[in-house]
């Protein structure tokens, strides 16, 4: 997609004059080096995943100029992050930290408040500070990607250490964890697997959490809690601090692994299947965070545009999807479960036998023989990911529409057939209403599932963008009425989603706001992120 | 131990006149019912574990009157907890919530500030609100003990659900978790296993965290995070709120289990053994939070007083300990590892074979055959506990001295031989200095160990109390110099321990204080707990 002429430059944060802003940036340039302060006055280039912009959301659902940075700055040390924060307080300029800015589907690199100064931490703070082969831990800066960490481990010959990766390997280990992202080995809950943070507070002080607060410790990455209040959690999905270092536990090489895939023929197989999965998952017979995907997305996962199958309006008819699936190597189905079994062969065989017997209780269930699949089949991407090997195959379904972009609806439910059906029916009904193809995938955590519904849209088609956004807003609202809430969301939906967590007259949000006001009196850090507005912004029309 | 005449009654919170206090209590009695407000003016009865006091620490290391309540109140609902908090704000009276008050070794039921009003939540708020046999979760009030939860599960016939218990089953599921206690199955990290809190804030509002903030949800106990900042952690080891409900995940019955014990002959076996344990533990071949105990405590675990073995002064000589051990069923040793293997027999055998081969690398390692042991042997208590069955056998070593009481030193280290040796040597040296018997036990978490050193003392002997406290203060200080910090501590040591977590000019404590002042402007909730003093108390001589 070609870069458009800018309509609304220069971008200046609200409440400051243009000249004063330029002068403030020059002041900051004097501290960080001119080359590390970039004004965002050039055309907005979307690029692609590996060369993504840090000025805006490359998959924007609103006007591109809406969530846009006024400038981007590149600190190289924690001290420089502190001076940026002090500078922001001095001039009352909103700042928005990103680690790598690949938060696609949830806002990419964009700030929530137009004209914020984006702090691109990852560009220069990208060191792996430690990989500890005895404790199975590491300590990283924001710019360390899954690819980077994986390669460093291989280079050092640490075959006994695995990492856990989300579907795309280009993300930041820190950025993903602070947004509470997930991967697909048994270590899939990234936030649960971290240990130790270094955080620059909104007033510029720097703290180390957990054992990091004890000088000379050697336990920062092995014991998450430390002594006293365990404060890490409030730095995830928030705007209370800038994470400059994070410890992460590494998974031991399980001594063998074996991916597997089962398909299930009917839409209605969903409920009984989920009820079969639940006890197996909780008791770790099903060991990894697995995906149960609908056939429509599996067809799309080959990267072939929708137009090759269907050119009519409205959602693609299911008979066409099934016909396309039947012609693909996996064969026709409604649901596909991609799992992995770990450990040496003599242990795996017992678990696989149980799984096989249980899954085959669904009439027509088929175990797919990976040997029957071509090398570039999507199945193998899932297998790599479940073995902690970074990948980007997952990007392919974004080609489903021209100028493909996507945005996610991500509600949480127990692992129960009734819930899966309720959410799936709701999703299908509302997608139909807006004429949008429905891509449900259940990501099975330990006691809950994230249903991830990706809406793929043509980002050059304002009408389809509007339909996608209306559909999402509807989904969030209707799901909340049934008691389902999102685990994470896009910038544009943060106020709405936060608003659904409103028990007892929004007591939790009032509590969040109290913390925000105490920690960030000038309201400079990522205003509006996760629906938390600082006092200076609250009820002044920023919510959307 | 007989109850003493009180020397310092009535106890009145600082800063309020006696009459005003009595009037305030009457006002509160009007709200809660007279019978639910008790003035603490009777003799302080220590009782025993199952009938412990809620007015003071039954194992006090200071003068009994030091950490003592002025009154104890018994709310029956969250709303009543809210009114107590509002009342405390109105009168500026310090309040101190306990769930069951069995926090022995860390302060029992006592408040940190003399004259606080203790809120004994457990007495009347003791309902199991839910046991969910599908999701493997439960929701409890503060008065639910491990015994209570265990029995309710058995009563309902849920054989597929296990709980995780600490060494003593009389504790509160909530009280233990908020102090970040541990148990001994694979679910041993209680804080990590909780999901969802209801909390009354110091200003009286009530929030529900995680999915609990979403009205009509069915995920409060299955998905801990919810949306936005994950605030649960700041309600553990803190004084930021009163937990009135907590969700807890339950372990699936593993389908079989087998306890095992190995002994190792020499003191110096510690380092190589710990290095053997580390990779086995991280890769879950050693599946549970196990204990590696020193022989001295194992001798004491039979409940026979020290005087039967030795009546000299100074620490009991090791040759006497070894002689006593040799006469016991387990036989002589220096270190004993108590573990458990889970799952059906055909899975266990593989893990047990690896463990056996690895442990036998230590010359003289012996696998103890449980069948060779008498029924009341301590080994079987460990086996019950590792199978999630509540127990109180562990109390027996408290009989080591007359009027036995104890207090714990609990530093954290990586699972490494060098660290184990450093801490063990430090502990031995400082215990010798104060003439105290040394009881080290390493509790092996996943990537770290809690070394728990219990100092047993005669609580009627002021000199031995002083020696115990001096010894502890020395231990904390010297350990910190080596980079080791405590995971939890007794009321009397909270300031000192918090003071060791002082990186960057005590930045974390300043942050904690900022939160405290924002959340508790009147400083009424558990002042001083975990070293956090509200503004009204800070630097006014309360620290010790
Ligand atoms: C096809 C596709 C598949 C995907 N699959 C997955 C998946 O399987 N699992 C998954 O979790 N996600 C998935 N995503 C979403 C996303 O790509 C990843 O989560 C990605 O890792 C997030 O981008 P990032 O790591 O660069 O984080 P960033 O964009 O750097 O950070 C995300 C947000 O967190 C905050 N933040 C980041 N760093 C800091 C910091 N240091 N201090 C304070 N706040 C900070 C900022 O608000 C930022 O916007 C997928 C996306 C696509 C397009
Ligand atoms: C022989 C022996 C062995 C032990 N073994 C273990 C062990 O294996 N593992 C272990 O973890 N501990 C152990 N302990 C310590 C202790 O007995 C347990 O941790 C016990 O569970 C704590 O007491 P409790 O559950 O009654 O908590 P409480 O005493 O009710 O609570 C502990 C503290 O937490 C705070 N608190 C409690 N409830 C709330 C609430 N609702 N809201 C806010 N704050 C609250 C209060 O400050 C309170 O003082 C042992 C003790 C002894 C004597």
């Amino acid at each position: 997609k070609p870069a458009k002429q800018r309509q609304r430059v220069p971008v200046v944060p609200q409440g400051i004059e243009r000249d004063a802003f330029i002068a403030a940036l020059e002041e900051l340039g004097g501290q960080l080096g001119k080359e590390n302060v970039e004004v965002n006055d050039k055309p907005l280039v979307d690029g692609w995943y590996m060369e993504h912009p840090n000025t805006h959301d490359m998959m924007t659902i609103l006007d591109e100029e809406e969530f846009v940075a006024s400038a981007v700055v590149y600190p190289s040390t924690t001290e420089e992050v502190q001076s940026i924060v002090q500078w922001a307080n001095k001039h009352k300029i909103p700042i928005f930290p990103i680690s790598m800015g690949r938060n696609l589907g949830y806002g990419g690199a964009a700030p929530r408040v137009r004209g914020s100064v984006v702090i691109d931490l990852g560009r220069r703070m990208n060191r792996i500070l430690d990989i500890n082969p005895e404790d199975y831990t590491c300590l990283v800066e924001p710019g360390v990607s899954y690819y980077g960490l994986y390669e460093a481990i291989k280079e050092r010959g640490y075959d006994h250490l695995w990492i856990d990766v989300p579907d795309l390997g280009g993300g930041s280990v820190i950025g993903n964890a602070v947004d509470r992202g997930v991967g697909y080995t048994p270590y899939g809950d990234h936030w649960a697997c971290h240990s130790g943070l270094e955080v620059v507070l909104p007033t510029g002080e720097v703290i180390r959490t957990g054992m990091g607060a004890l000088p000379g410790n050697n336990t920062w990455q092995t014991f998450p809690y430390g002594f006293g209040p365990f404060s890490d959690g409030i730095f995830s999905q928030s705007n209370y601090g800038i994470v400059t270092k994070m410890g992460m536990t590494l998974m031991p090489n399980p001594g063998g692994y074996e991916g597997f895939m089962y398909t299930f023929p009917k839409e209605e197989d969903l409920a009984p299947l989920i009820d079969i999965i639940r006890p197996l998952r909780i008791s770790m017979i099903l060991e990894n965070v697995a995906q149960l995907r609908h056939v429509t997305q599996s067809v799309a996962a080959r990267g072939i545009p929708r137009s090759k199958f269907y050119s009519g309006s409205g959602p693609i008819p299911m008979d066409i999807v099934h016909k396309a699936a039947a012609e693909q190597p996996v064969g026709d189905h409604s649901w596909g479960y991609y799992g992995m079994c770990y450990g040496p062969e003599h242990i795996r065989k017992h678990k696989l036998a149980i799984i096989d017997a249980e899954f085959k209780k669904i009439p027509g269930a088929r175990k797919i023989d990976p040997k029957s699949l071509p090398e570039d089949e999507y199945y193998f991407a899932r297998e790599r990911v479940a073995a902690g090997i970074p990948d980007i195959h997952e990007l392919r379904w974004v080609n489903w529409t021209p100028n493909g972009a996507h945005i996610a609806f991500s509600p949480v439910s127990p692992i129960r057939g009734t819930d899966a059906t309720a959410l799936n029916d709701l999703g299908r009904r509302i997608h139909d209403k807006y004429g949008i193809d429905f891509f449900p995938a259940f990501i099975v955590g330990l006691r809950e599932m994230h249903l991830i519904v990706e809406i793929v849209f043509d980002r050059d088609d304002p009408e389809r963008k509007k339909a996608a956004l209306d559909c999402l807003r509807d989904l969030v609202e209707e799901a909340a009425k049934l008691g389902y809430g999102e685990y994470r969301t896009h910038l544009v939906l943060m106020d709405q989603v936060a608003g659904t967590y409103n028990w007892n007259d929004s007591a939790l949000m009032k509590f969040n706001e109290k913390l925000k006001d105490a920690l960030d009196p000038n309201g400079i850090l990522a205003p509006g992120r996760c629906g938390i507005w600082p006092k200076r912004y609250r009820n002044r029309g920023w919510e959307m």
Side-chain angles (χ1 to χ4, degrees), chain A:
Chain A
K1 173 172 159 293
K4 268 192 290 216
Q5 270 314 101
R6 303 282 303 267
Q7 303 296 330
R8 296 160 67 186
V9 278
V11 188
V12 172
Q14 239 216 6
I16 183 169
E17 301 272 305
R18 186 176 173 212
D19 291 348
F21 179 59
I22 296 297
L25 284 181
E26 262 164 31
E27 178 192 329
L28 189 61
Q31 290 174 44
L32 305 185
K34 265 196 174 79
E35 65 288 7
N36 297 314
V37 177
E38 278 175 11
V39 180
N40 177 23
D41 54 6
K42 283 151 229 86
L44 297 176
V45 182
D46 283 352
W48 75 292
Y49 182 72
M50 294 309 278
E51 286 158 63
H52 66 289
N54 59 12
T55 45
H56 67 290
D57 183 2
M58 65 179 269
M59 293 189 169
T60 187
I61 182 109
L62 299 178
D63 180 287
E64 216 162 32
E65 289 287 348
E66 199 60 47
F67 295 143
V68 83
S70 56
V72 184
V73 299
Y74 304 99
S76 69
T77 61
T78 300
E79 291 71 32
E80 287 188 355
V81 175
Q82 291 180 274
S83 15
I84 295 168
V85 168
Q86 281 150 5
W87 169 87
N89 273 291
K90 179 173 159 198
H91 299 285
K92 309 254 191 319
I93 290 172
I95 49 179
F96 191 92
I98 59 172
S99 282
M100 298 188 74
R102 290 211 177 94
N103 205 12
L104 303 176
Y106 299 112
R112 172 63 179 80
V113 162
R114 178 177 153 84
S116 299
V117 171
V118 163
I119 309 178
D120 185 337
L121 299 155
R123 171 93 52 108
R124 299 173 71 209
M125 295 174 74
N126 53 15
R127 287 173 307 161
I128 297 172
L129 299 168
D130 188 38
I131 298 178
N132 188 315
E134 300 201 326
D135 296 337
Y136 296 71
T137 61
C138 65
L139 180 67
V140 296
E141 289 188 333
V144 176
S145 72
Y146 295 98
Y147 275 111
L149 183 57
Y150 180 81
E151 277 152 25
I153 287 171
K154 291 289 146 205
E155 255 166 41
R156 297 181 201 188
Y158 294 149
D159 280 342
H160 64 302
L161 304 181
W162 275 28
I163 66 170
D164 181 280
V165 297
D167 268 334
L168 298 178
S172 154
V173 176
I174 289 184
N176 184 283
V178 298
D179 216 21
R180 297 203 296 258
V182 296
Y184 302 94
T185 74
Y187 277 44
D189 179 347
H190 293 160
W191 187 251
C193 288
H194 96 279
S195 183
L197 299 178
E198 180 182 86
V199 184
V200 174
L201 299 175
T203 36
E205 303 89 344
V206 55
I207 61 173
R208 289 187 178 175
T209 66
M211 301 305 293
L214 191 94
N217 80 83
N218 62 356
T219 38
W220 198 15
Q221 272 63 70
T222 50
F223 183 60
Y225 303 138
F227 178 78
F230 176 46
S231 38
D232 290 33
I234 63 170
F235 298 109
S236 68
Q237 290 194 4
S238 79
N239 48 18
Y240 299 160
I242 302 177
V243 177
T244 44
K245 293 183 180 66
M246 185 182 80
M248 194 73 191
T249 56
L250 300 170
M251 183 172 139
N253 181 335
Y257 62 92
E258 192 171 342
F260 59 88
M261 176 179 187
Y262 283 83
T263 62
F264 305 90
K266 294 188 312 220
E267 292 285 341
E268 311 81 69
D269 293 336
L270 179 63
L273 177 59
I274 291 285
D275 286 325
I276 287 171
I277 289 171
R278 185 185 54 253
L280 297 180
R281 182 71 185 96
I282 296 177
S283 55
M284 291 293 277
I285 304 287
L286 292 170
E287 293 166 278
N288 71 327
V289 176
Q291 290 211 5
L292 179 67
R293 298 195 146 211
H294 190 257
V295 62
T296 314
Q297 196 173 16
S298 297
V299 165
R302 314 204 93 221
I304 301 167
R306 171 189 208 269
S307 54
K308 289 276 185 302
F309 304 104
Y310 182 63
S311 55
S313 69
I316 184 167
M318 280 312 295
D319 56 337
I320 292 183
V321 171
H322 283 297
K323 192 164 155 281
E327 285 162 12
Q328 291 184 2
V330 166
D332 191 23
H333 61 282
S334 285
W335 298 98
Y337 183 95
Y338 298 81
M340 184 165 280
C341 190
Y342 303 88
E345 210 278 326
H346 61 273
I347 299 284
R348 292 198 310 261
K349 72 174 184 216
H350 298 294
K351 295 181 278 193
L352 288 168
I354 298 173
I355 295 165
D356 196 65
E358 291 294 314
F359 279 13
K360 292 261 174 77
K361 288 180 179 167
I362 307 284
R366 285 193 302 129
K367 182 164 186 176
I368 304 299
D369 181 1
K371 287 194 214 80
S372 71
L373 302 175
E375 244 179 56
D376 72 334
E377 184 64 22
Y378 174 68
Y379 167 84
F380 294 106
R382 288 241 65 78
E383 199 173 90
R384 282 189 294 276
V385 164
I389 303 168
D391 205 82
I392 54 165
H393 190 130
E394 189 71 28
L395 278 174
R396 296 202 191 170
W397 49 257
V398 185
N399 293 334
W400 190 239
T401 68
N403 302 306
H406 69 99
I407 182 163
F409 168 61
S410 318
V412 178
S413 80
I415 309 174
R416 293 198 217 135
T418 45
D419 295 301
T421 305
L423 279 168
N424 192 59
D425 289 353
L426 174 81
R428 163 91 48 206
R429 179 168 60 76
I430 296 180
H431 276 63
D432 282 353
K433 176 171 157 193
Y434 293 95
I436 294 172
D437 298 335
F438 182 43
F439 282 12
F442 290 93
I443 317 293
V444 188
L446 198 62
R447 279 179 177 73
E448 53 76 37
M449 311 186 287
H450 296 358
L451 166 60
I452 307 288
V453 178
E454 296 283 6
I455 298 186
V456 183
F457 60 91
D458 177 345
R459 74 191 115 151
D460 258 7
D461 182 339
E463 220 170 279
R464 295 319 297 156
K465 279 164 78 161
K466 182 169 182 321
L469 186 52
D470 290 348
C471 178
L472 271 169
R473 292 221 179 266
D474 238 6
L475 286 166
V476 170
E477 188 180 330
E478 294 297 320
K481 282 185 197 157
L482 301 179
Y484 302 111
E486 285 68 50
Y487 96 98
R488 176 179 183 188
T489 203
H490 189 282
L491 294 173
V492 74
L493 295 171
M494 284 178 170
D495 293 313
Q496 188 189 2
V497 168
T500 64
Y501 286 76
N502 59 13
W503 182 79
N504 189 23
D505 199 17
S506 298
L508 186 61
M509 179 52 84
K510 288 176 191 161
F511 172 76
N512 290 341
E513 288 173 346
K514 196 181 267 192
L515 292 190
K516 180 66 179 170
D517 291 340
L519 296 174
D520 185 7
N522 290 321
I524 48 101
L525 189 61
R529 179 157 146 76
C530 293
I532 304 165
W533 293 98
K535 203 175 222 149
R536 283 210 303 139
Y537 288 77
R538 216 171 288 152
N539 304 319
R540 282 182 165 73
W542 287 94
E543 296 85 355
M544 57 168 66

